[in-house]
Amino acid sequence: MKIRSVSARWLHVPIPLEQQHISDFGRVASFDSVLVRIEADNGLIGYGEAKEEVGSEGNSHALVALINQKLGPLLVGEDPRDISRLWERMYSGVRGHYALEHGRVFPILGRRGVTISAISGIDSALWDLLGKWLGQPVWRLLGGRKATHMQAYASGGWAGVDQIGAQLASYVARGGFKAVKMRVGVIDGDPSRSAARVHAARGHLGPDIAIACDAHGTYSVAEAKRFCRLVEECNLMWFEEPVTADDKQGMAEVRASTAIPIAAGESEFNRFDFRDLAQLRAADIFQPDLAICGGITEAMRIGAIAAAFNLKLAPHLWTGALAFAAGMHVAAASPAGFILEYSLGANPLLHELSEEKFLVKDGMIEIPDRPGLGVTINASFVERYTVA
């Protein structure tokens, strides 16, 4: 089997005004992602997803060009089943043969950012293709799933202090969720205002619903420490991205100052970034985004680091259906995986790109046994929202 073609499309899906939310990223008016399609010479097709931005919106022209004009042509004629070898070729470029011969990376200069995002989409498409060729779900190829279902948490939580409790309670009612996540950080102004919203949420939900908080990396170290002190009695499930990903030492300082578990990783790019988080003891929970971190191949390596340091794995799944499925397969197969993010914001790429639905019942999501990633692409949706 050989790769016949690799192609990418930017999907830009407008969100109706009444369904838009406002965060530190601004008003989110669209959901954007890059659909990667790999066709083999036997007619089999694998799909993956890559992202230009960690949030919902993003201009994806550069990412599409990188896949269509650089990395994709590099793989044409190759055996799509040699996933690890192809990953090293893309990461190390013209020195890929050295990486394979010597057992260490010889990376290209642009080895972070959109390069890793592009590799992410291609890598997941290769795993999807391999699973379809073998007639097996990806989790089976990764060593098997730990259980038929995994716990999910409802992710959203932008309302003000007067409405945040009711907003999160509505999430609980929609899927029987036992855990929810809300946004805090710079958009609230002073950390005391974020803390007031957290106290309001805890008061409304009671003690039995787990609450996580996400600052999107917007606090300073001092502000993050202060926020932790103000919400200590709220028994948070975790505090996510307290400070920018560029300040891993600062994140370690925040973690050392509090008993609240620290989660991070959606803004990181590969196993080397997560190795640094682990060695600095900066996080309790790793959150790689499968459309950003290097795909399924790299996410399993990241999961191994988490397991080696007795940390947990909870992939960032504010994504479309393909990256959601990829993260779900990795979490189900990784010893460190324990919970799945489920977007409660307007997310048409999760709910409409795939013919199948990812349903939450009693706070749990079934880990499906369909071949590959288990996603059947809605062709009319792709045609409607492809950027020319």
Side-chain angles (χ1 to χ4, degrees):
M1 184 163 56
K2 302 296 182 183
I3 295 174
R4 177 182 293 160
S5 65
V6 180
S7 60
R9 291 182 173 194
W10 172 13
L11 302 182
H12 171 78
V13 188
I15 297 173
L17 181 63
E18 64 275 11
Q19 295 179 349
Q20 296 173 10
H21 67 264
I22 299 174
S23 75
D24 52 280
F25 290 108
R27 176 175 289 277
V28 180
S30 67
F31 213 107
D32 296 83
S33 196
V34 171
L35 176 68
V36 179
R37 180 184 187 273
I38 299 180
E39 182 175 357
D41 57 5
N42 59 6
L44 283 177
I45 298 172
Y47 290 98
E49 181 179 350
K51 289 172 63 177
E52 177 84 11
E53 301 283 352
V54 74
S56 303
E57 290 186 287
N59 184 316
S60 300
H61 280 302
L63 183 52
V64 168
L66 182 58
I67 295 170
N68 287 339
Q69 299 176 30
K70 182 178 180 180
L71 294 181
L74 182 70
L75 303 185
V76 172
E78 296 282 357
D79 190 326
R81 295 166 294 189
D82 295 338
I83 299 174
S84 293
R85 181 175 66 83
L86 297 181
W87 201 101
E88 297 302 331
R89 281 204 63 195
M90 290 186 286
Y91 189 67
S92 294
V94 296
R95 299 189 297 177
H97 62 289
Y98 289 127
L100 294 167
E101 290 171 7
H102 294 275
R104 64 180 186 273
V105 296
F106 291 76
I108 60 175
L109 180 63
R111 61 188 177 272
R112 297 292 198 273
V114 293
T115 297
I116 289 294
S117 293
I119 292 173
S120 299
I122 292 171
D123 179 84
S124 292
L126 290 171
W127 280 101
D128 185 42
L129 182 59
L130 179 61
K132 290 173 178 175
W133 182 67
L134 293 171
Q136 295 291 329
V138 167
W139 55 256
R140 179 75 69 192
L141 311 183
L142 299 176
R145 60 185 177 185
K146 296 180 293 185
T148 59
H149 294 73
M150 286 190 71
Q151 184 184 2
Y153 70 91
S155 184
W158 305 275
V161 66
D162 295 333
Q163 297 296 322
I164 186 63
Q167 185 180 55
L168 296 177
S170 73
Y171 298 168
V172 173
R174 284 172 62 177
F177 292 96
K178 306 300 189 297
V180 296
K181 185 165 77 179
M182 60 181 286
R183 271 60 186 177
V184 297
V186 70
I187 194 170
D188 288 329
D190 191 86
S192 62
R193 295 179 180 174
S194 288
R197 293 176 57 243
V198 175
H199 282 275
R202 174 56 74 204
H204 192 100
L205 294 176
D208 298 328
I209 301 297
I211 300 175
C213 292
D214 185 355
H216 287 158
T218 60
Y219 281 139
S220 68
V221 171
E223 288 169 334
K225 289 181 179 180
R226 184 169 168 231
F227 172 80
C228 289
R229 289 196 298 272
L230 291 170
V231 298
E232 280 180 349
E233 65 270 32
C234 292
N235 191 28
L236 294 183
M237 180 168 66
W238 70 63
F239 180 23
E240 184 172 333
E241 285 200 309
V243 300
T244 176
D246 287 346
D247 187 8
K248 293 180 177 60
Q249 188 65 55
M251 191 176 299
E253 188 177 333
V254 173
R255 183 179 182 240
S257 74
T258 182
I260 299 171
I262 301 300
E266 70 180 54
S267 300
E268 306 292 0
F269 289 105
N270 58 23
R271 64 189 182 274
F272 302 108
D273 288 344
F274 285 88
R275 174 206 60 193
D276 293 346
L277 284 174
Q279 289 181 338
L280 287 169
R281 301 201 174 275
D284 300 274
I285 300 152
F286 282 175
Q287 298 176 301
D289 187 310
L290 273 288
I292 293 173
C293 74
I296 292 169
T297 298
E298 196 72 350
M300 288 301 293
R301 295 165 176 167
I302 291 165
I305 294 171
F309 280 82
N310 287 317
L311 307 176
K312 293 183 177 181
L313 182 73
H316 179 249
L317 299 178
W318 196 272
T319 57
L322 289 161
F324 181 92
M328 178 176 62
H329 283 270
V330 167
S334 172
F338 79 111
I339 199 167
L340 301 173
E341 180 175 23
Y342 194 85
S343 165
L344 266 293
N347 190 341
L349 278 168
L350 175 62
H351 302 296
E352 299 176 47
L353 175 62
S354 172
E355 299 284 358
E356 298 82 10
K357 305 303 177 187
F358 300 98
L359 301 177
V360 180
K361 183 178 180 181
D362 297 327
M364 306 291 285
I365 294 181
E366 182 181 7
I367 310 302
D369 57 5
R370 298 184 294 271
L373 291 175
V375 172
T376 304
I377 297 297
N378 182 335
S380 63
F381 180 88
V382 172
E383 293 301 324
R384 187 182 317 130
Y385 295 113
T386 293
V387 175

